[in-house]
Amino acid sequence: MRFSYTTTEAKADEKSLNFLLEQLAITQPSAEQELKMDWPNPHHCLLNIKRDDLIHPIISGNKWRKLKYSLCHALENDCSHIVSFGGGFSNHLHALAYCCKQLNIKFTAIVRGDYRANPSPMLQDLSQWQSDIHYVDKLTYQRREKPEYLALLQKEYPDAMIIPEGGSNTLALQGVAEIVNELSGHYDYIVAPVASGATLAGLIHATHQTSCKILGIGVLKGEGYLEELVQQLLPQSYGHWSINHEYHCGGYAKSNIELRDFCRDFYQQTQVDIEPVYSGKLFFALRHLIQQAYFPVNSRILALHTGGLQGAR
Ligand SMILES: *Cc1c(COP(=O)(O)O)cnc(C)c1O
């Protein structure tokens, strides 16, 4: 089997791509390694890990994948200003703010809630990187995808490129597809954490002509909702994917002692750092699923480490 990469968007020009990779010191392709675990593994599954956590020390791995072609587009069009949206602890805003600083592009972050009195470590970084931060209330934030609101915003910032929350546009699918393109061989499953769904959608789209199944691990309470988010980002409906909702530990960024102990033990065994918001839940779920013989005998499984370690602060 070969992994196919479906190009649905215009090709980015090589010069701006190279400039981008160099300017941001991106390590791509990311490493692919076997994980040797002492977990019970009745079906003798092989578990490999794709180290998108090593793409960059500050830019969270999957945020890079999702933003790559939007940033390229910005460079090609001499865009001097980018606007995007996120919560007070958003890895997306954090990654994008850093990229903009390095690329000398003005960045405006529209943040849900008012953190002026108590900015998160991410927002403190944004301030340090000279981002322009706008705090908006929940109702305003809810309008972030409404055409009237976006038109107003565009009028206020005529030179700006507006990137949706989480970087979730069609260019994101193209960037995420490169994960699949980089793989050394065939997998029966690719497993990844799910929050806004764009990473999963990219993996689904990139594997739809193969026998590889995509399994998402929901990191927040969102049965039905997460599936809908993913579906909305896909150009058509596909049958080779699903989302497991049993490992969110009570909701987004919620954790418990078992999960935190697991993250620590995992690091001791593998020297791979994970955090309780995304990758911790992913590997916690994988341990249980492998132990319960969820995957067929001799399955080849790839876990996508999406990064996010700066968020563990
Ligand atoms: C944002 C994020 C995710 C979730 O990806 P989505 O594309 O929003 O589903 C997973 N892992 C990390 C580290 C993230 O920062």
Side-chain angles (χ1 to χ4, degrees):
M1 188 205 69
R2 274 178 44 82
F3 284 101
S4 85
Y5 168 33
T6 318
T7 322
T8 48
E9 287 81 26
K11 280 235 171 9
D13 95 58
E14 195 120 337
K15 218 176 95 210
S16 38
L17 258 181
N18 288 339
F19 176 81
L20 190 61
L21 293 168
E22 240 168 69
Q23 206 68 13
L24 298 174
I26 294 290
T27 306
Q28 197 189 334
S30 65
E32 182 185 343
Q33 305 163 341
E34 184 174 352
L35 261 190
K36 293 230 186 283
M37 304 306 307
D38 63 358
W39 305 338
N41 185 358
H43 276 180
H44 311 288
C45 297
L46 168 85
L47 179 58
N48 283 2
I49 178 173
K50 177 75 169 156
R51 300 291 309 272
D52 273 15
D53 56 315
L54 300 180
I55 283 180
H56 195 274
I58 295 171
I59 306 165
S60 204
N62 77 327
K63 301 304 182 271
W64 163 251
R65 300 284 189 181
K66 293 194 283 181
L67 288 168
K68 179 178 180 183
Y69 289 99
S70 288
L71 291 170
C72 209
H73 185 74
L75 289 177
E76 281 167 17
N77 292 283
D78 290 321
C79 166
S80 58
H81 186 188
I82 288 177
V83 179
S84 194
F85 311 87
F89 292 83
S90 164
N91 283 340
H92 160 69
L93 289 182
H94 191 262
L96 184 52
Y98 178 80
C99 292
C100 286
K101 178 188 78 98
Q102 293 301 99
L103 298 169
N104 217 357
I105 295 173
K106 179 180 160 165
F107 180 55
T108 298
I110 300 188
V111 177
R112 193 181 101 196
D114 188 346
Y115 292 82
R116 271 173 302 188
N118 205 359
S120 64
M122 282 84 150
L123 291 171
Q124 290 174 29
D125 283 347
L126 259 68
S127 300
Q128 218 181 351
W129 299 334
Q130 274 86 43
S131 304
D132 172 30
I133 304 177
H134 284 258
Y135 294 108
V136 300
D137 59 33
K138 272 189 188 159
L139 282 178
T140 309
Y141 195 81
Q142 270 173 19
R143 298 170 61 214
R144 69 193 175 280
E145 281 170 23
K146 295 261 183 289
E148 314 85 69
Y149 176 73
L150 290 171
L152 275 178
L153 213 56
Q154 195 72 75
K155 218 168 143 189
E156 192 178 343
Y157 306 117
D159 297 328
M161 172 175 172
I162 302 175
I163 296 180
E165 178 187 61
S168 303
N169 53 20
T170 49
L171 294 173
L173 300 195
Q174 190 180 351
V176 172
E178 291 181 353
I179 297 171
V180 174
N181 248 13
E182 287 169 12
L183 298 179
S184 62
H186 166 69
Y187 288 98
D188 299 300
Y189 288 86
I190 299 177
V191 190
V194 186
S196 77
T199 304
L200 205 74
L203 294 172
I204 293 165
H205 185 55
T207 52
H208 78 275
Q209 290 175 326
T210 75
S211 59
C212 179
K213 294 190 177 69
I214 305 297
L215 174 64
I217 304 298
V219 302
L220 48 92
K221 265 192 203 164
E223 196 160 355
Y225 166 73
L226 289 180
E227 282 83 353
E228 209 173 292
L229 286 182
V230 171
Q231 186 52 59
Q232 279 167 8
L233 291 163
L234 290 170
Q236 63 188 85
S237 73
Y238 300 122
H240 65 296
W241 63 279
S242 62
I243 300 177
N244 178 303
H245 296 279
E246 282 162 40
Y247 300 96
H248 56 63
C249 297
Y252 182 71
K254 298 262 168 41
S255 71
N256 53 41
I257 291 173
E258 199 186 355
L259 176 61
R260 291 192 296 273
D261 283 351
F262 172 80
C263 291
R264 207 195 42 230
D265 294 346
F266 186 88
Y267 178 73
Q268 276 167 4
Q269 265 192 51
T270 62
Q271 312 303 307
V272 175
D273 227 343
I274 56 177
E275 43 67 50
V277 182
Y278 298 104
S279 49
K281 289 177 183 175
L282 169 72
F283 286 103
F284 190 84
L286 273 168
R287 181 185 63 177
H288 273 225
L289 294 171
I290 287 172
Q291 190 172 343
Q292 290 164 9
Y294 169 88
F295 302 102
V297 174
N298 292 331
S299 289
R300 291 176 54 89
I301 306 166
L302 181 81
L304 176 65
H305 193 323
T306 44
L309 293 161
Q310 64 78 24
R313 287 177 291 178

